[in-house]
Amino acid sequence: MTAPNQTINNTNINRLDLLLTPEALKIKVPLTEKAANTVINGRASIQNILDGKDDRILVISGPCSIHDIDSAKEYAQRLKKQHDELSDKLFIVMRTYFEKPRTNVGWKGLINDPNLDGSNDMNLGLSKARELLAWIAELGLPTATEALDPVTPQYIADLISWSAVGARTTESQTHREMASGLSMPVGFKNSTDGSLTAAVNAIISAQSPHTFIGIDNGGNTALLHTNGNPYSHIILRGGKRPNYDAKSVSACISNLIDANINPRIIIDASHGNSSKDFTKQPVVAKDVMSQIKAGNSTIKGIMLESHLIEGNQKLSSNLAYGQSITDSCIGWEDTQNLLQSL
């Protein structure tokens, strides 16, 4: 007779590997005083922008996803120069996305599959992600990411100044609870069809206290009790049609006010707002800046998908350096020209 646990438990689990603890990774890749100051000052600046105490525009710019450490570092060095040169008008943060939500299947990001071969060595992926974030923080450049797996923040959140919850996960209670406990401002994207309801509800939820199951710094299963995140806000990313135009922004403001939410809007120049045509991102960004110049103080920032080389490429064993393997990005020359023009 077969033992019950062999036919009931983990019947679809092929393998179980132990994950290193957040504490162990933080010992391996510590947070230095300089890196901590980059994060703390980055968060404070973003909070002040959202509060209207800082009239600079937040610009979140970087690759759709990080897959190569060397090209990410080169991009960071170039972006840091823009961060410094344009700091009187723009507060530039590097987009460092390590986790990718997939519609069905595909590469899930550097943390999940750092070797790009389906081996899914997440211990290596978490180490690479933290090492890169620490290096960029040492450079003095704040970073932004998408919060996807609810366990991941324990490993890298102390190096992040701003986070997003994507269009596919904004409706998720798990992600709303997670956002309520994150230590940095969190933006919720509108749904992929363009509707705002899920994002508005997510903001209300994330600003409220929650209790949920997670892990502590030692990797132990724990109950996390949150205060709620007062810096939850909306990201307009388009849908079936773009929603960055003045009329769409006005409708968003009305939705937020009706829900008793302080209207603070960041506009994603990519995805639905560019109709998935990366070359349209500068058009979107300049239109948004025109709205700000015309007096719209509720728009607080812009998101750009940008890399060293424009476009994208399929995942292969012979990848071009500095080009995205997920969404298409504008290239560095266009990025620099756009930042200068903004």
Side-chain angles (χ1 to χ4, degrees), residues 199-231:
V200 171
N201 288 335
I203 294 168
I204 296 170
S205 177
Q207 290 182 354
S208 305
H210 289 279
T211 298
F212 60 94
I213 297 171
I215 63 169
D216 67 7
N217 198 45
N220 301 297
T221 304
L223 277 178
L224 305 181
H225 306 272
T226 74
N227 294 321
N229 190 331
Y231 288 98

Side-chain angles (χ1 to χ4, degrees), residues 165-184:
V165 175
R168 295 174 181 83
T169 45
T170 285
E171 291 191 51
S172 162
Q173 175 175 288
T174 297
H175 291 82
R176 294 172 179 183
E177 291 171 343
M178 173 181 64
S180 76
L182 290 177
S183 301
M184 74 290 292

Side-chain angles (χ1 to χ4, degrees), residues 36-230:
N37 286 334
T38 297
V39 177
I40 292 167
N41 294 335
R43 291 176 180 175
S45 293
I46 295 169
Q47 289 171 359
N48 285 335
I49 289 170
L50 293 172
D51 282 337
K53 297 176 182 177
D54 186 333
D55 62 3
R56 290 180 296 176
I57 302 304
L58 174 63
V59 178
I60 299 159
S61 179
C64 173
S65 58
I66 302 292
H67 72 274
D68 173 64
I69 300 300
D70 290 340
S71 62
K73 286 182 175 180
E74 181 177 343
Y75 185 94
Q77 289 173 320
R78 295 187 187 189
L79 193 67
K80 177 60 164 62
K81 292 180 181 178
Q82 300 301 307
H83 170 89
D84 293 343
E85 290 176 11
L86 306 176
S87 61
D88 59 330
K89 297 293 184 182
L90 307 177
F91 186 71
I92 299 175
V93 175
M94 181 169 167
R95 175 187 170 110
T96 51
Y97 278 36
F98 301 108
E99 302 176 277
K100 301 302 295 180
R102 313 310 303 188
T103 302
N104 40 60
V105 292
W107 184 67
K108 296 180 183 178
L110 186 83
I111 287 178
N112 190 280
D113 187 18
N115 296 317
L116 311 178
D117 60 1
S119 57
N120 304 111
D121 185 352
M122 292 188 69
N123 281 313
L124 176 62
L126 286 167
S127 296
K128 281 193 168 188
R130 185 169 178 85
E131 287 166 2
L132 176 62
L133 290 171
W135 188 91
I136 297 173
E138 283 289 320
L139 197 64
L141 182 65
T143 53
T145 198
E146 177 174 348
L148 186 58
D149 190 298
V151 172
T152 301
Q154 291 287 14
Y155 292 87
I156 62 172
D158 57 326
L159 287 159
I160 299 291
S161 293
W162 181 90
S163 285
V165 175
R168 295 174 181 83
T169 45
T170 285
E171 291 191 51
S172 162
Q173 175 175 288
T174 297
H175 291 82
R176 294 172 179 183
E177 291 171 343
M178 173 181 64
S180 76
L182 290 177
S183 301
M184 74 290 292
V186 179
F188 287 92
K189 289 194 174 185
N190 64 255
S191 300
T192 53
D193 64 0
S195 64
L196 305 179
T197 303
V200 171
N201 288 335
I203 294 168
I204 296 170
S205 177
Q207 290 182 354
S208 305
H210 289 279
T211 298
F212 60 94
I213 297 171
I215 63 169
D216 67 7
N217 198 45
N220 301 297
T221 304
L223 277 178
L224 305 181
H225 306 272
T226 74
N227 294 321
N229 190 331

